[in-house]
Amino acid sequence: MTYEETLKNIALNDERIIVMTAENRALVRNLPTALGDRFIDTGITEQTMIGMAAGLALRGRKPICHALATFLTMRAFEFIRTDVGISGLPVKLTSWVPGFLSDANGPTHQAIEDVSIMRGIPGMQVYCPADEQDMVAMLPHIWGNESPVYLRAIVRKSAVEHAPFEIGKAEIFQEGSDITLLVYGYLFEEARQCAKILEAKGMKVGLVNMRSLQPVDEEAILRSCKNSGLVVTIEDHFQIGGLYSIVAETLLKYGVSGNVKPIALNQKWFKPALMSEVLEYEGFTPEKLAVRCNEFLN
């Protein structure tokens, strides 16, 4: 089941659903025929799309909006915050090519602060699935509630079977006492392969898919810090405001200490190239992640 198939099935069974796009049809190109007037393309006008979505939501509809992650979260931020966030409207935001997924694009098209700014809106839920299977499993849950939602879309095929999705819960893929990797989104597979490299060196490695970032699984974070000698956060996001910040905030909230290190983009945008080259240059291949983890341990 794909994103588009799931959305089509849900929309055909719920007339409240309105599918909207700011001329970004990558995930929904076959839906205009199926949905007719309930498919709206506003053109390259993200702010207009969000304003329209808020108006539709006020009239009982449930808009699901699609746009490039950078322009959805930054160009339309005031509209999301003011029109959607303050009113707590059930507008669902699907971002295309967030993080490293915009690999060949320069800084103007890199959404690597999106988690930070979206989770800063009261009531906004933030989800970052590891792959397409993970994403499709969460769609009925996150679209079925009445909260505004931000989703980092991903169509990478899954190399594993995921546990059932639950809002606000992380997926504890495996537990380890030496080191635990907390990760979300596209880099889940790189972290999984990194864990295998570390295990081959005799380490007991934990791996947690932090698929729900707001609400976040505080218990999973606290347990990881309690049970592992080292916790490493891995994310294609600025170091400030993302998962590393979430972990730090959680530890401070509960007065708990932990040995936590970040692997993120620290005060920099990434160099655009093909994905394999981006991961290699920026140090996010499984092998380079393993080297960084070993440096932290030593």
Side-chain angles (χ1 to χ4, degrees):
M1 186 74 75
T2 66
Y3 176 97
E4 184 178 64
E5 291 167 342
T6 304
L7 178 51
K8 178 181 176 180
N9 291 339
I10 291 174
L12 290 177
N13 287 287
D14 184 353
E15 291 193 352
R16 293 180 62 200
I17 299 294
I18 304 291
V19 176
M20 305 184 71
T21 179
E23 203 174 90
N24 188 265
R25 300 194 181 195
L27 288 170
V28 294
R29 64 181 71 256
N30 296 308
L31 292 187
T33 302
L35 299 181
D37 291 342
R38 288 196 289 135
F39 185 95
I40 301 172
D41 190 337
T42 67
I44 307 176
T45 54
E46 293 81 6
Q47 295 169 328
T48 298
M49 178 180 67
I50 298 302
M52 290 175 64
L56 287 164
L58 284 170
R59 288 157 178 80
R61 300 290 192 166
K62 186 176 286 187
I64 301 177
C65 302
H66 304 80
L68 288 175
T70 41
F71 307 130
L72 179 62
T73 58
M74 286 178 277
R75 181 175 291 165
F77 175 76
E78 181 188 356
F79 291 75
I80 295 171
R81 172 193 177 275
T82 303
D83 295 354
V84 175
I86 291 175
S87 302
L89 297 175
V91 175
K92 314 299 180 176
L93 309 172
T94 297
S95 69
W96 183 240
V97 294
F100 284 156
L101 288 172
S102 64
D103 51 355
N105 293 304
T108 60
H109 284 59
Q110 293 176 12
I112 49 180
E113 61 272 88
D114 57 331
V115 169
S116 175
I117 61 178
M118 286 295 104
R119 77 182 185 93
I121 299 174
M124 178 68 70
Q125 297 181 352
V126 178
Y127 301 100
C128 302
D131 48 51
E132 188 172 42
Q133 180 196 2
D134 198 25
M135 176 175 68
V136 169
M138 68 172 60
L139 296 180
H141 301 273
I142 67 177
W143 289 343
N145 66 43
E146 298 302 311
S147 298
V149 164
Y150 176 71
L151 170 71
R152 266 191 169 197
I154 182 170
V155 294
R156 186 180 198 173
K157 299 304 179 184
S158 178
V160 299
E161 284 296 320
H162 289 283
F165 176 78
E166 184 178 350
I167 287 176
K169 293 295 183 182
E171 177 187 28
I172 312 299
F173 199 77
Q174 62 190 51
E175 299 204 43
S177 56
D178 293 321
I179 181 172
T180 294
L181 310 178
L182 304 185
V183 64
Y184 61 84
Y186 183 84
L187 292 174
F188 172 79
E189 182 59 24
E190 277 62 39
R192 191 173 75 89
Q193 296 301 325
C194 169
K196 289 185 176 182
I197 294 171
L198 296 174
E199 287 171 336
K201 298 180 182 292
M203 300 180 198
K204 295 179 179 178
V205 184
L207 177 62
V208 181
N209 174 20
M210 300 294 298
R211 48 182 26 164
S212 177
L213 292 183
Q214 184 162 291
V216 72
D217 193 339
E218 295 179 334
E219 181 182 346
I221 292 172
L222 295 172
R223 185 166 66 248
S224 296
C225 292
K226 177 182 178 182
N227 295 338
S228 290
L230 172 67
V231 170
V232 177
T233 60
I234 300 173
E235 54 189 324
D236 50 343
H237 190 278
F238 284 141
Q239 183 173 306
I240 294 173
L243 180 57
Y244 181 58
S245 293
I246 291 171
V247 171
E249 291 163 11
T250 301
L251 295 180
L252 283 171
K253 177 180 177 180
Y254 291 98
V256 174
S257 61
N259 184 17
V260 182
K261 301 293 184 183
I263 298 181
L265 292 161
N266 189 16
Q267 297 293 312
K268 61 172 289 189
W269 284 271
F270 63 85
K271 186 174 182 179
L274 297 177
M275 179 63 80
S276 60
E277 296 169 331
V278 170
L279 296 177
E280 179 69 27
Y281 184 84
E282 301 294 348
F284 286 83
T285 62
E287 294 77 14
K288 290 197 171 183
L289 290 174
V291 169
R292 292 286 301 280
C293 290
N294 273 311
E295 290 174 351
F296 291 145
L297 285 166
N298 294 327

